[in-house]
Amino acid sequence: MRVRAHYSLLNEIESGPNATLPALEPLIARWHHTRIRRIDRYIQLCVAGGLNCIAGQPLHPQTGVYLASRVGAVSTSAKTMTQTEQKGEMPKPLHFVNTLGNSAGFYLTQLLGLTGTAVVVSQEWLSFESALLHAWLDLQQGRIDCALVGGFDEVPLPTSHQLERLDQAHISPPPTHLTEGTHWLLLERSTSPSGTNLGAPHWLADSQELDQWLQQQKPFDYIQTSFTPDTAEGELLARHTDHHQTFTRTAALHGTFSGAALVHLIEQSPVRPPRRRALHLTRGPEGPYCAVIVSLEPV
């Protein structure tokens, strides 16, 4: 898969009762001048990320859209649950509609005029890579020539509730910041090695399987992880590359944070020497691993 365009927005939100969320409307207005009414922050993150990745480029109507989120529309779902469970009232129609998993995809595909495949996937901390795999399969099988892959997760307020959802509230001291973001890749099917190309995501059950898989690969110029390796993992990676870098944060991470790491790796490619071969490696808190080979060839 050749990378045609990419975009990533990563916000750090200060935890606490006075937490505020950065405005997303200006990012949308840059590419869509009419105000979009009645959309929540989850949908805003999707629309803002997708529009800024495309950046006005013409797309074939059959371009596939593959969306990823670890937990979906949390803010709207919480409001709906409060309305029905605590107040015993019918949920507001708009809130009910926006709890649907594909609500964000509806708005984005409508704005872009796309009529092809639109999929929403969730696989815990590897949701972005799962969406990437779906796109790779459709591109390889010739179902589509172009794919738009996006991963996004919000920080619902109050932040204390979100820390509980992320299983971070029990940590002492708890994180002072949380992250939200929207991370995107526009990919096309190509047989040419030039440019930045991504291989199929590989799932690896544990460190032993990861070690065996790395032994079967050609040497990597560098490996980037979206997590901080422990001592054993650090020693494992050192056996397979002379250059290892970590892209992570001390804040509580959102579910598609690995998408931010992959886009960061791609963004760094122009400053690397030509004909580089890199590896994007991620995992959840308890595994498994997922690896994506990134080939960087001169155009």
Side-chain angles (χ1 to χ4, degrees):
M1 300 179 289
R2 178 187 290 171
V3 178
R4 182 170 150 187
H6 52 79
Y7 176 80
S8 180
L9 172 69
L10 183 62
N11 290 329
E12 289 199 8
I13 312 300
E14 186 175 359
S15 179
N18 299 320
T20 58
L21 303 175
L24 298 173
E25 291 83 357
L27 296 175
I28 298 174
R30 181 181 180 185
W31 301 106
H32 181 76
H33 303 299
T34 302
R35 179 172 174 266
I36 307 172
R37 301 177 60 208
R38 301 177 180 177
I39 61 175
D40 57 19
R41 190 167 187 84
Y42 173 76
I43 298 174
Q44 284 183 329
L45 283 166
C46 175
V47 172
L51 291 180
N52 279 274
C53 180
I54 299 303
Q57 298 181 61
L59 294 180
H60 191 282
Q62 291 299 308
T63 296
V65 177
Y66 304 83
L67 305 179
S69 178
R70 179 173 180 254
V71 290
V74 179
S75 295
T76 297
S77 297
K79 291 176 182 176
T80 301
M81 294 295 290
T82 299
Q83 196 78 16
T84 57
E85 299 297 328
Q86 293 186 5
K87 298 183 179 181
E89 302 174 354
M90 292 292 292
K92 294 181 180 180
L94 183 63
H95 287 171
F96 178 75
V97 171
N98 284 348
T99 63
L100 301 177
N102 62 352
S103 58
F106 164 77
Y107 283 94
L108 180 62
T109 54
Q110 184 184 56
L111 290 173
L112 295 176
L114 304 180
T115 57
T117 301
V119 178
V120 182
V121 298
S122 181
Q123 192 180 349
E124 291 296 329
W125 298 97
L126 301 181
S127 296
F128 188 88
E129 287 74 16
S130 181
L132 191 63
L133 178 60
H134 280 72
W136 182 86
L137 288 170
D138 283 355
L139 286 168
Q140 293 301 309
Q141 294 176 9
R143 295 177 180 174
I144 55 174
D145 294 322
C146 189
L148 179 61
V149 180
F152 44 99
D153 280 296
E154 62 175 325
V155 173
L157 301 179
T159 57
S160 58
H161 291 179
Q162 182 66 357
L163 287 173
E164 291 182 11
R165 297 185 187 101
L166 296 173
D167 197 26
Q168 299 283 305
H170 66 282
I171 297 176
S172 181
T176 59
H177 292 76
L178 299 91
T179 61
E180 69 168 8
T182 179
H183 321 292
W184 294 78
L185 296 171
L186 180 61
L187 306 167
E188 58 186 5
R189 180 158 46 95
S190 175
T191 57
S192 172
S194 62
T196 300
N197 289 274
L198 305 182
H202 292 269
W203 266 256
L204 305 154
D206 50 35
S207 58
Q208 182 179 359
E209 189 172 329
L210 172 63
D211 193 23
Q212 294 173 349
W213 182 80
L214 287 171
Q215 291 176 26
Q216 299 169 2
Q217 304 301 310
K218 297 178 182 178
F220 292 103
D221 295 293
Y222 57 103
I223 297 175
Q224 177 183 273
T225 60
S226 65
F227 59 93
T228 301
D230 59 27
T231 301
E233 289 171 328
E235 293 174 352
L236 187 157
L237 295 175
R239 293 197 295 269
H240 297 283
T241 183
D242 293 329
H243 303 283
H244 162 243
Q245 57 191 32
T246 299
F247 181 84
T248 189
R249 294 290 186 275
T250 57
L253 303 180
H254 61 281
T256 54
F257 176 81
S258 61
L262 180 54
V263 173
H264 173 78
L265 178 58
I266 293 170
E267 289 175 341
Q268 297 305 304
S269 63
V271 302
R272 302 283 181 177
R275 297 184 182 179
R276 304 288 286 185
R277 193 166 183 267
L279 183 69
H280 161 77
L281 184 65
T282 188
R283 65 160 167 76
E286 300 178 356
Y289 298 91
C290 186
V292 179
I293 297 175
V294 182
S295 301
L296 314 169
E297 296 282 344
V299 178

